[in-house]
Amino acid sequence: MFIKPKTKTFFLSSLLISSTFFSQAHNVSEGYQKPTDPLVVQNLENWQDLKFGLFMHWGTYSQWGVVESWSLCPEDESWTQRKPEHGKSYYEYVKNYENLQTTFNPTQFNPQKWADAAKKAGMKYVVFTTKHHDGFAMFDTQQSDYKITSSKTPFSKNPKADVVKEVFNTFRNDGFKIGAYFSKPDWHSDEYWWSYFPPKDRNVNYDPKKYPERWNNFKNFTFNQLNEITSNYGKVDILWLDGGWVRPFNTIDPNVEWQRTIKVEQDIDMDKIGTMARKNQPGIIIVDRTVPGKWENYVTPEQAVPEKALSIPWESCITMGDSFSYVPNDNYKSSQKIIETLVKIISRGGNYLMNIAPGPNGDYDPIVYERLNEISGWMDKNQSAVFATRSIAPYHSGNFYYTQSKDGKTVNIFHLDEKTNYESPSTLSFAIPDNFKPKSLKILGLSGKIQWKKTGNSIEINLPKERTQLKYSTVIQITQ
């Protein structure tokens, strides 16, 4: 990921980033350009039906339990979490980090186990890190030997060595839409961090205008890798491009702290990349994060939920633990917290991309499977109020959150109380949307008839004793 917090611990402090993402990054509604390709428009509409996706950050860095590959970045040693035992000097650290390729052997890698658990929990799409900023490819690229299928990597001898292929095929076969995360910067490439100069921050370490041939080589390298991903790995529905500092200089927003570090032109020719990706994958959704324009088909607040509904397609990427990458003994969110977050996101018209990080052995922490199983119990009862819904005013009022069916005939009202353990009250009173004429009402997960009365634009309901069965929320479904 890309937001640099000011406090020491990246993966804890990033949770504190609020919806100021929107005011700081760019005025998303004004800067957003609706796609003109009818197939992309339709695919975006279909994607907005999915609501709940799985994000996975995985690479050699999982062996050290550090914050993805950010420890390679010389920007700020306090938040990049470099540990002295991994190298006394910065250069020793980088050398030892790159040698993690020679010990990466995640023999417990079994994407079917992940897909089964994620599908049961209601997740409908997956976004997987094909390559993070460190440049280590989790796919069989022909552009570099810094990859999981290299003979230098022990896992290359495994029949599932091309991890991207295995993940994409497995999840696709289970009905998931497929997203390819790809980092535009590449800190391993001598065409981006040229060994002639020391790197000083996340950006390219030379001026591309002074060395146009070198920058052009990097553009070709990036284009070729993205061509491989969109040509050789079956149907890909989303191209999710991270590293927003690689961007045309004229798109920099000086109000955003990390964008102020960009001092040189880093135009990677997104028109060429996007045109190629759409030729290989007609209708593919492209997410050039934080770069407003035709290639940012939806916006991606990180570790944040906007305070109000947005009129454009958006997705919050939020970690199940504290970190995007595997950290031993991570602090995983409760199932109740995850469901509350999902409800808030969908009531404001967004999708929830929840990140789960595999460990160095190739599997999730056992707690992850517990959480996904708990979520699945709630999802079984309440999915009709979640999927293929849209936001509706008043969106959120007190402890009540609203969604509606796309045909407008059904309104869903979620009651949350955000205590440690949810307890459904004996009576609930809430406003109904304007011009909505309720005909029938039910509580999802309860079979008995519900007593209710309408007064003005409010409804009051009495809940039966069986309400004690309800976990995490009470979901009222009203039809007109």
Side-chain angles (χ1 to χ4, degrees):
M1 311 311 286
F2 67 88
I3 295 178
K4 172 193 169 184
K6 293 178 181 176
T7 53
K8 281 192 175 182
T9 309
F10 175 82
F11 51 85
L12 291 176
S13 63
S14 60
L15 293 171
L16 306 177
I17 299 167
S18 71
S19 53
T20 50
F21 169 95
F22 293 96
S23 57
Q24 287 183 354
H26 52 276
N27 188 322
V28 290
S29 295
E30 283 184 19
Y32 182 74
Q33 285 184 29
K34 187 176 178 181
T36 54
D37 181 333
L39 191 51
V40 178
V41 173
Q42 184 59 56
N43 287 341
L44 267 176
E45 178 74 18
N46 296 340
W47 169 81
Q48 288 180 289
D49 290 346
L50 306 180
K51 299 303 176 192
F52 196 23
L54 171 64
F55 203 7
M56 282 190 278
H57 277 67
W58 195 31
T60 61
Y61 45 77
S62 62
Q63 297 171 90
W64 277 358
V66 294
V67 182
E68 309 132 45
S69 57
W70 274 104
S71 56
L72 292 174
C73 184
E75 241 169 65
D76 181 342
E77 291 190 19
S78 62
W79 72 271
T80 49
Q81 302 289 293
R82 278 193 288 280
K83 297 174 184 175
E85 63 266 29
H86 296 152
K88 290 177 182 154
S89 70
Y90 172 74
Y91 290 99
E92 186 182 12
Y93 184 94
V94 171
K95 183 181 176 185
N96 290 339
Y97 182 100
E98 293 187 339
N99 277 338
L100 286 170
Q101 175 183 16
T102 65
T103 54
F104 193 40
N105 195 22
T107 53
Q108 292 179 36
F109 171 56
N110 178 6
Q112 190 62 59
K113 187 180 177 185
W114 300 343
D116 290 345
K119 186 175 184 177
K120 203 175 168 194
M123 291 168 155
K124 306 287 188 189
Y125 66 108
V126 63
V127 178
F128 183 80
T129 46
T130 65
K131 185 183 80 166
H132 201 256
H133 313 326
D134 59 0
F136 185 78
M138 297 291 280
F139 64 104
D140 188 28
T141 180
Q142 303 307 302
Q143 311 306 311
S144 164
D145 198 42
Y146 194 49
K147 59 181 178 178
I148 196 162
T149 53
S150 163
S151 58
K152 295 176 188 173
T153 310
F155 196 62
S156 64
K157 299 174 181 64
N158 192 292
K160 294 180 180 176
D162 191 339
V163 162
V164 166
K165 177 183 174 186
E166 298 297 324
V167 168
F168 285 5
N169 286 349
T170 301
F171 278 82
R172 192 186 296 112
N173 289 342
D174 259 347
F176 285 72
K177 297 293 184 185
I178 302 300
Y181 168 110
F182 182 89
S183 169
K184 293 184 292 181
D186 187 316
W187 295 336
H188 184 263
S189 169
D190 204 50
E191 313 291 347
Y192 191 78
W193 272 4
W194 187 8
S195 52
Y196 186 73
F197 297 114
K200 56 185 183 296
D201 56 26
R202 68 185 70 187
N203 295 285
V204 63
N205 69 341
Y206 62 91
D207 184 346
K209 285 191 173 177
K210 288 184 182 175
Y211 303 97
E213 188 177 347
R214 182 167 290 272
W215 182 251
N216 199 52
N217 288 342
F218 181 66
K219 282 165 52 174
N220 289 335
F221 167 78
T222 305
F223 178 92
N224 290 339
Q225 284 199 323
L226 287 168
N227 188 29
E228 289 172 333
I229 289 167
T230 55
S231 295
N232 302 336
Y233 289 89
K235 180 86 166 73
V236 179
D237 304 283
I238 303 164
L239 184 58
W240 210 95
L241 300 175
D242 200 10
W245 55 95
V246 176
R247 68 196 295 142
F249 197 76
N250 63 5
T251 66
I252 294 168
D253 183 346
N255 296 315
V256 181
E257 183 187 357
W258 63 265
Q259 291 190 32
R260 289 199 295 270
T261 70
I262 308 168
K263 304 299 184 189
V264 294
E265 177 66 71
Q266 295 186 65
D267 189 340
I268 204 162
D269 199 347
M270 271 305 302
D271 281 349
K272 185 180 177 186
I273 287 169
T275 301
M276 170 270 293
R278 291 257 161 89
K279 184 180 177 187
N280 292 341
Q281 300 282 345
I284 192 173
I285 296 167
I286 297 177
V287 184
D288 190 15
R289 295 188 78 200
T290 77
V291 187
K294 66 192 270 192
W295 301 113
E296 191 181 28
N297 295 160
Y298 65 75
V299 296
T300 54
E302 182 175 323
Q303 301 285 43
V305 181
E307 291 166 5
K308 296 178 180 175
L310 296 180
S311 60
I312 63 172
W314 64 276
E315 163 195 86
S316 281
C317 50
I318 299 175
T319 51
M320 184 191 268
D322 284 341
S323 175
F324 276 102
S325 52
Y326 173 80
V327 173
N329 307 309
D330 205 352
N331 175 39
Y332 288 96
K333 296 173 182 65
S334 68
S335 299
Q336 179 157 326
K337 184 70 180 171
I338 291 165
I339 285 163
E340 287 168 357
T341 302
L342 174 65
V343 169
K344 290 174 184 177
I345 287 171
I346 64 175
S347 74
R348 293 161 199 176
N351 281 17
Y352 182 4
L353 184 63
M354 184 168 69
N355 186 86
I356 301 172
N361 64 353
D363 202 359
Y364 298 154
D365 190 297
I367 294 172
V368 168
Y369 294 105
E370 290 177 25
R371 295 288 187 273
L372 293 175
N373 189 52
E374 288 162 357
I375 294 164
S376 72
W378 181 89
M379 199 65 83
D380 284 345
K381 298 179 179 70
N382 299 295
Q383 57 186 305
S384 65
V386 174
F387 303 112
T389 60
R390 295 294 182 267
S391 60
I392 182 172
Y395 312 110
H396 165 216
S397 177
N399 287 337
F400 296 96
Y401 296 81
Y402 297 74
T403 66
Q404 65 173 327
S405 59
K406 288 201 286 185
D407 62 10
K409 291 178 180 176
T410 303
V411 166
N412 311 291
I413 300 102
F414 299 80
H415 177 258
L416 309 175
D417 69 7
E418 303 199 50
K419 293 175 183 169
T420 307
N421 290 303
Y422 178 83
E423 292 181 6
S424 184
S426 58
T427 61
L428 285 172
S429 182
F430 51 88
I432 53 173
D434 292 341
N435 304 315
F436 191 83
K437 298 177 173 57
K439 183 180 174 186
S440 62
L441 179 151
K442 62 182 176 181
I443 306 293
L444 298 182
L446 299 184
S447 55
K449 199 172 180 183
I450 304 298
Q451 291 182 317
W452 61 283
K453 66 177 181 182
K454 177 178 177 288
T455 308
N457 74 331
S458 293
I459 283 181
E460 184 178 289
I461 59 175
N462 295 313
L463 285 89
K465 288 181 181 177
E466 298 91 276
R467 70 181 184 276
T468 55
Q469 301 168 16
L470 299 173
K471 293 189 76 173
Y472 312 130
S473 67
T474 300
V475 186
I476 305 124
Q477 193 164 74
I478 310 173
T479 306
Q480 70 174 351

